[in-house]
Amino acid sequence: QFCTFHEGCCIRPPAKIIHNKIKFLGSKIGNNVVVGANTLVEAAVIGQNVYIGKNCVIGKCSVIKDCCIILDGTVIPPDTVVAPFSLFGGVPGRLVCELPETIPQLLEQRAVNEHKAVRSK
């Protein structure tokens, strides 16, 4: 509910080669997720109330837990686990700071507002 994927973003399920065949592992995306423009997502899991900025790369089989913000231009390496209530940024992506307990409501409201804005176009 209230997930928004901006122009040019690519959501690709993680895959592995098993017995010379490509096997897609599947992805799970929670509620209230915003993915910015021109972002590549190969994550295994994206939790609820997550904002991923524009021009990011979310590496294969990575896990982004609930209530996280990924800053514009961040590259999350494959198999990275982003802890809940984390602000990540940089190349490679690293913890910038922990987010306050009020962030779930703010991220949920942002997701709802972005969803409404996209639908009204």
mmCIF file of all heavy atoms in Angstrom, residues 6 32-36 46 48-54 64 67-72 107 110 114:
data_model
loop_
_atom_site.group_PDB
_atom_site.id
_atom_site.type_symbol
_atom_site.label_atom_id
_atom_site.label_comp_id
_atom_site.label_asym_id
_atom_site.label_seq_id
_atom_site.Cartn_x
_atom_site.Cartn_y
_atom_site.Cartn_z
ATOM 1 N N HIS A 6 9.506 5.827 -8.923
ATOM 2 C CA HIS A 6 9.625 6.961 -9.831
ATOM 3 C C HIS A 6 10.241 6.555 -11.168
ATOM 4 O O HIS A 6 10.804 5.470 -11.314
ATOM 5 C CB HIS A 6 10.416 8.081 -9.165
ATOM 6 C CG HIS A 6 9.629 8.782 -8.100
ATOM 7 N ND1 HIS A 6 8.713 9.760 -8.380
ATOM 8 C CD2 HIS A 6 9.595 8.621 -6.755
ATOM 9 C CE1 HIS A 6 8.162 10.192 -7.259
ATOM 10 N NE2 HIS A 6 8.688 9.506 -6.255
ATOM 11 N N ASN A 32 4.384 1.477 2.158
ATOM 12 C CA ASN A 32 4.916 2.835 2.310
ATOM 13 C C ASN A 32 6.388 2.932 1.918
ATOM 14 O O ASN A 32 7.223 3.443 2.660
ATOM 15 C CB ASN A 32 4.711 3.342 3.741
ATOM 16 C CG ASN A 32 3.275 3.241 4.176
ATOM 17 O OD1 ASN A 32 2.373 3.528 3.401
ATOM 18 N ND2 ASN A 32 3.047 2.805 5.398
ATOM 19 N N VAL A 33 6.693 2.436 0.725
ATOM 20 C CA VAL A 33 8.050 2.477 0.191
ATOM 21 C C VAL A 33 8.084 3.446 -0.985
ATOM 22 O O VAL A 33 7.216 3.400 -1.854
ATOM 23 C CB VAL A 33 8.510 1.074 -0.257
ATOM 24 C CG1 VAL A 33 9.839 1.136 -0.986
ATOM 25 C CG2 VAL A 33 8.602 0.141 0.943
ATOM 26 N N VAL A 34 9.084 4.318 -0.999
ATOM 27 C CA VAL A 34 9.300 5.242 -2.111
ATOM 28 C C VAL A 34 10.680 4.950 -2.685
ATOM 29 O O VAL A 34 11.659 4.903 -1.944
ATOM 30 C CB VAL A 34 9.219 6.713 -1.659
ATOM 31 C CG1 VAL A 34 9.541 7.652 -2.810
ATOM 32 C CG2 VAL A 34 7.843 7.024 -1.078
ATOM 33 N N VAL A 35 10.732 4.736 -4.021
ATOM 34 C CA VAL A 35 11.999 4.511 -4.715
ATOM 35 C C VAL A 35 12.176 5.641 -5.712
ATOM 36 O O VAL A 35 11.337 5.856 -6.579
ATOM 37 C CB VAL A 35 12.013 3.138 -5.425
ATOM 38 C CG1 VAL A 35 13.330 2.947 -6.173
ATOM 39 C CG2 VAL A 35 11.800 2.009 -4.425
ATOM 40 N N GLY A 36 13.278 6.365 -5.590
ATOM 41 C CA GLY A 36 13.542 7.532 -6.416
ATOM 42 C C GLY A 36 13.871 7.189 -7.857
ATOM 43 O O GLY A 36 14.146 6.036 -8.214
ATOM 44 N N ILE A 46 12.780 -5.299 1.239
ATOM 45 C CA ILE A 46 12.691 -3.890 1.627
ATOM 46 C C ILE A 46 11.528 -3.817 2.605
ATOM 47 O O ILE A 46 10.403 -4.195 2.270
ATOM 48 C CB ILE A 46 12.441 -2.962 0.422
ATOM 49 C CG1 ILE A 46 13.607 -3.061 -0.567
ATOM 50 C CG2 ILE A 46 12.252 -1.517 0.902
ATOM 51 C CD1 ILE A 46 13.399 -2.266 -1.834
ATOM 52 N N GLN A 48 8.976 -1.918 5.664
ATOM 53 C CA GLN A 48 7.956 -0.868 5.621
ATOM 54 C C GLN A 48 8.564 0.485 5.954
ATOM 55 O O GLN A 48 9.555 0.566 6.678
ATOM 56 C CB GLN A 48 6.856 -1.172 6.645
ATOM 57 C CG GLN A 48 6.091 -2.436 6.353
ATOM 58 C CD GLN A 48 4.913 -2.553 7.265
ATOM 59 O OE1 GLN A 48 3.835 -2.066 6.944
ATOM 60 N NE2 GLN A 48 5.115 -3.184 8.407
ATOM 61 N N ASN A 49 7.916 1.544 5.433
ATOM 62 C CA ASN A 49 8.327 2.921 5.735
ATOM 63 C C ASN A 49 9.796 3.143 5.374
ATOM 64 O O ASN A 49 10.613 3.516 6.208
ATOM 65 C CB ASN A 49 8.068 3.262 7.205
ATOM 66 C CG ASN A 49 6.614 3.101 7.574
ATOM 67 O OD1 ASN A 49 5.732 3.490 6.811
ATOM 68 N ND2 ASN A 49 6.357 2.524 8.725
ATOM 69 N N VAL A 50 10.103 2.909 4.095
ATOM 70 C CA VAL A 50 11.470 3.055 3.595
ATOM 71 C C VAL A 50 11.471 4.073 2.463
ATOM 72 O O VAL A 50 10.617 4.032 1.576
ATOM 73 C CB VAL A 50 12.032 1.705 3.096
ATOM 74 C CG1 VAL A 50 13.363 1.880 2.394
ATOM 75 C CG2 VAL A 50 12.169 0.728 4.254
ATOM 76 N N TYR A 51 12.440 4.984 2.494
ATOM 77 C CA TYR A 51 12.627 5.945 1.409
ATOM 78 C C TYR A 51 14.003 5.696 0.798
ATOM 79 O O TYR A 51 15.020 5.741 1.500
ATOM 80 C CB TYR A 51 12.546 7.387 1.918
ATOM 81 C CG TYR A 51 12.806 8.378 0.822
ATOM 82 C CD1 TYR A 51 11.791 8.765 -0.037
ATOM 83 C CD2 TYR A 51 14.075 8.908 0.616
ATOM 84 C CE1 TYR A 51 12.024 9.655 -1.064
ATOM 85 C CE2 TYR A 51 14.325 9.795 -0.407
ATOM 86 C CZ TYR A 51 13.297 10.168 -1.248
ATOM 87 O OH TYR A 51 13.540 11.035 -2.280
ATOM 88 N N ILE A 52 14.019 5.412 -0.509
ATOM 89 C CA ILE A 52 15.263 5.219 -1.251
ATOM 90 C C ILE A 52 15.359 6.369 -2.244
ATOM 91 O O ILE A 52 14.466 6.559 -3.075
ATOM 92 C CB ILE A 52 15.273 3.859 -1.978
ATOM 93 C CG1 ILE A 52 15.137 2.713 -0.961
ATOM 94 C CG2 ILE A 52 16.545 3.716 -2.803
ATOM 95 C CD1 ILE A 52 14.959 1.351 -1.574
ATOM 96 N N GLY A 53 16.420 7.135 -2.169
ATOM 97 C CA GLY A 53 16.586 8.315 -3.005
ATOM 98 C C GLY A 53 16.822 7.998 -4.464
ATOM 99 O O GLY A 53 16.851 6.837 -4.889
ATOM 100 N N LYS A 54 17.036 9.040 -5.259
ATOM 101 C CA LYS A 54 17.262 8.865 -6.694
ATOM 102 C C LYS A 54 18.716 8.490 -6.960
ATOM 103 O O LYS A 54 19.599 8.735 -6.139
ATOM 104 C CB LYS A 54 16.867 10.127 -7.450
ATOM 105 C CG LYS A 54 17.639 11.350 -7.068
ATOM 106 C CD LYS A 54 17.093 12.573 -7.775
ATOM 107 C CE LYS A 54 17.826 13.800 -7.243
ATOM 108 N NZ LYS A 54 17.293 15.033 -7.732
ATOM 109 N N ILE A 64 16.914 -4.298 3.403
ATOM 110 C CA ILE A 64 16.708 -2.992 4.028
ATOM 111 C C ILE A 64 15.552 -3.155 4.997
ATOM 112 O O ILE A 64 14.425 -3.413 4.583
ATOM 113 C CB ILE A 64 16.413 -1.902 2.976
ATOM 114 C CG1 ILE A 64 17.589 -1.811 2.002
ATOM 115 C CG2 ILE A 64 16.151 -0.568 3.661
ATOM 116 C CD1 ILE A 64 17.363 -0.860 0.856
ATOM 117 N N CYS A 67 11.781 1.347 8.347
ATOM 118 C CA CYS A 67 12.039 2.723 8.806
ATOM 119 C C CYS A 67 13.452 3.200 8.496
ATOM 120 O O CYS A 67 14.177 3.683 9.366
ATOM 121 C CB CYS A 67 11.749 2.848 10.294
ATOM 122 S SG CYS A 67 10.101 2.275 10.754
ATOM 123 N N CYS A 68 13.845 3.085 7.222
ATOM 124 C CA CYS A 68 15.178 3.498 6.789
ATOM 125 C C CYS A 68 15.089 4.555 5.698
ATOM 126 O O CYS A 68 14.109 4.618 4.956
ATOM 127 C CB CYS A 68 15.954 2.302 6.239
ATOM 128 S SG CYS A 68 16.396 1.098 7.486
ATOM 129 N N ILE A 69 16.140 5.340 5.601
ATOM 130 C CA ILE A 69 16.298 6.305 4.522
ATOM 131 C C ILE A 69 17.641 6.034 3.857
ATOM 132 O O ILE A 69 18.674 5.935 4.531
ATOM 133 C CB ILE A 69 16.265 7.756 5.041
ATOM 134 C CG1 ILE A 69 14.895 8.061 5.669
ATOM 135 C CG2 ILE A 69 16.582 8.734 3.910
ATOM 136 C CD1 ILE A 69 14.822 9.428 6.333
ATOM 137 N N ILE A 70 17.603 5.905 2.522
ATOM 138 C CA ILE A 70 18.805 5.746 1.720
ATOM 139 C C ILE A 70 18.965 7.041 0.924
ATOM 140 O O ILE A 70 18.094 7.383 0.117
ATOM 141 C CB ILE A 70 18.704 4.527 0.775
ATOM 142 C CG1 ILE A 70 18.259 3.262 1.519
ATOM 143 C CG2 ILE A 70 20.023 4.323 0.036
ATOM 144 C CD1 ILE A 70 19.170 2.784 2.610
ATOM 145 N N LEU A 71 20.038 7.755 1.146
ATOM 146 C CA LEU A 71 20.245 9.058 0.512
ATOM 147 C C LEU A 71 20.496 8.925 -0.990
ATOM 148 O O LEU A 71 20.953 7.875 -1.467
ATOM 149 C CB LEU A 71 21.429 9.766 1.168
ATOM 150 C CG LEU A 71 21.264 10.110 2.652
ATOM 151 C CD1 LEU A 71 22.559 10.678 3.211
ATOM 152 C CD2 LEU A 71 20.122 11.090 2.848
ATOM 153 N N ASP A 72 20.225 10.012 -1.736
ATOM 154 C CA ASP A 72 20.466 10.055 -3.177
ATOM 155 C C ASP A 72 21.895 9.619 -3.494
ATOM 156 O O ASP A 72 22.841 9.997 -2.806
ATOM 157 C CB ASP A 72 20.273 11.470 -3.723
ATOM 158 C CG ASP A 72 18.830 11.950 -3.665
ATOM 159 O OD1 ASP A 72 17.926 11.137 -3.397
ATOM 160 O OD2 ASP A 72 18.617 13.149 -3.908
ATOM 161 N N LEU A 107 7.838 8.934 7.587
ATOM 162 C CA LEU A 107 8.037 8.201 6.332
ATOM 163 C C LEU A 107 6.706 7.722 5.752
ATOM 164 O O LEU A 107 6.514 7.734 4.537
ATOM 165 C CB LEU A 107 8.988 7.031 6.541
ATOM 166 C CG LEU A 107 10.454 7.416 6.764
ATOM 167 C CD1 LEU A 107 11.263 6.198 7.162
ATOM 168 C CD2 LEU A 107 11.036 8.076 5.533
ATOM 169 N N ARG A 110 5.096 10.728 4.146
ATOM 170 C CA ARG A 110 5.788 11.065 2.890
ATOM 171 C C ARG A 110 5.378 10.112 1.775
ATOM 172 O O ARG A 110 5.146 10.532 0.640
ATOM 173 C CB ARG A 110 7.298 11.016 3.090
ATOM 174 C CG ARG A 110 8.058 11.408 1.848
ATOM 175 C CD ARG A 110 9.530 11.498 2.070
ATOM 176 N NE ARG A 110 10.167 12.104 0.918
ATOM 177 C CZ ARG A 110 11.398 12.531 0.903
ATOM 178 N NH1 ARG A 110 12.139 12.442 1.978
ATOM 179 N NH2 ARG A 110 11.915 13.056 -0.190
ATOM 180 N N GLU A 114 3.545 11.280 -1.661
ATOM 181 C CA GLU A 114 4.141 11.012 -2.976
ATOM 182 C C GLU A 114 3.220 10.163 -3.832
ATOM 183 O O GLU A 114 3.088 10.386 -5.028
ATOM 184 C CB GLU A 114 5.512 10.331 -2.820
ATOM 185 C CG GLU A 114 6.547 11.269 -2.268
ATOM 186 C CD GLU A 114 7.916 11.082 -2.858
ATOM 187 O OE1 GLU A 114 8.039 10.537 -3.969
ATOM 188 O OE2 GLU A 114 8.866 11.492 -2.190
#
